Amino acid sequence: MALGSGAGAVVFYPADRDLDAWAERHAAGAAPDRWPYGLDRLEAHIAGVVSKSLPAATPIARAARRVIGVLPPGRRASNPVGVTWDENAGALLATTTGLSARYSGVVWVTDSVTRRGGEQFASLRRALRRMDGLWVLSDAQVAPLTAFLGEGAPPVHYVRFGVDQDFFRPTPYPTRPLVVSVGGDRDRDPETLLHAMATLRRVRPDVEIVVQSRTSIDPPAGVSVVPYLSHAELRDLYARASVVAIATRANLHVSGMTVGLEAMATGRPLVITRTPGMDDYFGGTSAARMVEVGDGDALARETLRLLDDPVAGAAAGEAARARVAGGFTTAHLAARVAEVITRR
């Protein structure tokens, strides 16, 4: 796929992201940021930024990319820079022609390689080595990704994540107790979470609990599990929450940080599993409390402490909003990504 000439940057998204539908939801106030992950905010740092969908992976397209993939990546200075959010889209960007440079985020492969070895990810390794720069969202990912890519690979940068503080706006702290947990990525820990929620309900049967998850585990009595929430539904649920609690397994990509920052932007305290890189987001603040991996009793205990002291919970919520506004918005994220791109 070739691009026309001209300076600037093209932010590429997978075809199934449906950028038109996203834009419509955003215009209606039902989705954060104008583009996913707030990368439209690159416009504040780079002139001529546009978004574009990557082509669907048809058999013909895959064959063409295999041919292109054995050629050196073309780089014409007069052409735009190509940018993608994660390594799956980055694998397609690696063989997108008509660009001056290519940059991609990396989310999942560091954990996959750590757990299963790098041999089965050889094609992804080749694709990422064609980039001009890569970024990760956890400082714990830098060393394993650098080792996986090998000598002569593009530089790996640590870029802290951010959320849309205008969409996830602060609301008054609620009077009715509600605990919320959200998220279903591969490193969430529903067993530990539901154990903690069962303990909590035994102590405080008056507390409402809502968990968004696709887990097949039967929830404890008094715990409502929903498989999916839209952005607008999620925002409204945060607004009703007293505490947001997240349990994750050991991982390097800071699973849970998106929900944690969204909840904090709404002005809600957070209880979350401590994993590598998590302190950079939630350490050193009264807004968040961290517990060890697999410790459902501690998760329940810290959540109960906030529920039992609504004044402290409200104060933690105020600190949470200030924490996000001070360095973890999509405006901050875009500035950090722009720094990676313009560092050439």
Side-chain angles (χ1 to χ4, degrees):
M1 178 185 65
L3 299 173
S5 63
V10 181
V11 181
F12 290 95
Y13 293 96
D16 59 6
R17 176 61 77 173
D18 196 342
L19 295 178
D20 290 338
W22 182 284
E24 289 175 4
R25 290 196 301 274
H26 174 71
D33 291 297
R34 190 155 51 87
W35 301 349
Y37 311 109
L39 294 182
D40 56 293
R41 297 178 188 265
L42 288 172
E43 296 168 332
H45 309 279
I46 301 171
V49 179
V50 299
S51 63
K52 190 176 182 68
S53 293
L54 288 159
T58 64
I60 293 176
R62 286 195 291 268
R65 289 185 181 280
R66 283 195 293 271
V67 173
I68 295 171
V70 301
L71 303 174
R75 295 181 175 89
R76 293 185 179 180
S78 61
N79 285 352
V81 169
V83 182
T84 55
W85 179 251
D86 64 28
E87 61 267 43
N88 296 320
L92 298 177
L93 181 67
T95 51
T96 297
T97 59
L99 297 170
S100 62
R102 297 163 183 81
Y103 296 87
S104 180
V106 173
V107 178
W108 309 105
V109 73
T110 49
D111 283 298
S112 298
V113 168
T114 300
R115 293 164 182 168
R116 292 184 278 167
E119 295 80 5
Q120 60 187 296
F121 302 101
S123 61
L124 179 58
R125 179 179 180 272
R126 287 193 297 271
L128 294 179
R129 285 177 60 87
R130 293 171 67 88
M131 300 293 112
D132 293 87
L134 299 163
W135 74 83
V136 292
L137 302 175
S138 166
D139 59 357
Q141 293 177 286
V142 174
L145 180 58
T146 300
F148 167 64
L149 295 174
E151 186 177 351
V156 177
H157 307 277
Y158 166 43
V159 170
R160 290 188 302 179
F161 188 63
V163 297
D164 185 349
Q165 66 167 343
D166 299 317
F167 184 83
F168 296 103
R169 50 188 177 268
T171 59
Y173 196 73
T175 56
R176 180 180 177 183
L178 167 65
V179 175
V180 168
S181 187
V182 174
D185 77 45
R186 64 191 74 176
D187 286 309
R188 290 297 207 275
D189 184 356
E191 295 88 354
T192 295
L193 175 70
L194 293 176
H195 168 81
M197 296 303 99
T199 301
L200 191 154
R201 279 282 300 183
R202 285 195 295 270
V203 178
R204 288 284 304 269
D206 61 309
V207 175
E208 182 185 2
I209 302 173
V210 177
V211 174
Q212 182 272 306
S213 173
R214 295 187 182 277
T215 180
S216 59
I217 301 173
D218 291 333
V223 177
S224 299
V225 175
V226 295
Y228 172 80
L229 293 167
S230 69
H231 284 105
E233 291 169 334
L234 182 57
R235 178 182 58 191
D236 294 344
L237 187 61
Y238 290 146
R240 292 177 46 222
S242 308
V243 183
V244 172
I246 302 170
T248 72
R249 303 183 178 97
N251 69 92
L252 300 177
H253 68 94
V254 282
S255 172
M257 69 178 172
T258 302
V259 170
L261 292 174
E262 290 171 351
M264 287 171 57
T266 312
R268 299 299 177 261
L270 175 70
V271 182
I272 193 168
T273 305
R274 175 183 279 109
T275 56
M278 198 67 79
D279 278 299
D280 286 350
Y281 290 91
F282 305 119
T285 173
S286 62
R289 303 181 181 193
M290 287 185 282
V291 302
E292 298 309 309
V293 172
D295 195 339
D297 292 335
L299 189 70
R301 184 170 59 250
E302 294 299 330
T303 303
L304 282 165
R305 284 176 178 169
L306 288 164
L307 289 171
D308 290 342
D309 189 348
V311 173
E318 292 179 4
R321 173 66 184 187
R323 172 80 166 187
V324 173
F328 296 93
T329 70
T330 43
H332 293 106
L333 170 63
R336 294 164 188 145
V337 172
E339 183 180 353
V340 171
I341 295 169
T342 59
R343 192 173 293 179
R344 298 185 285 162

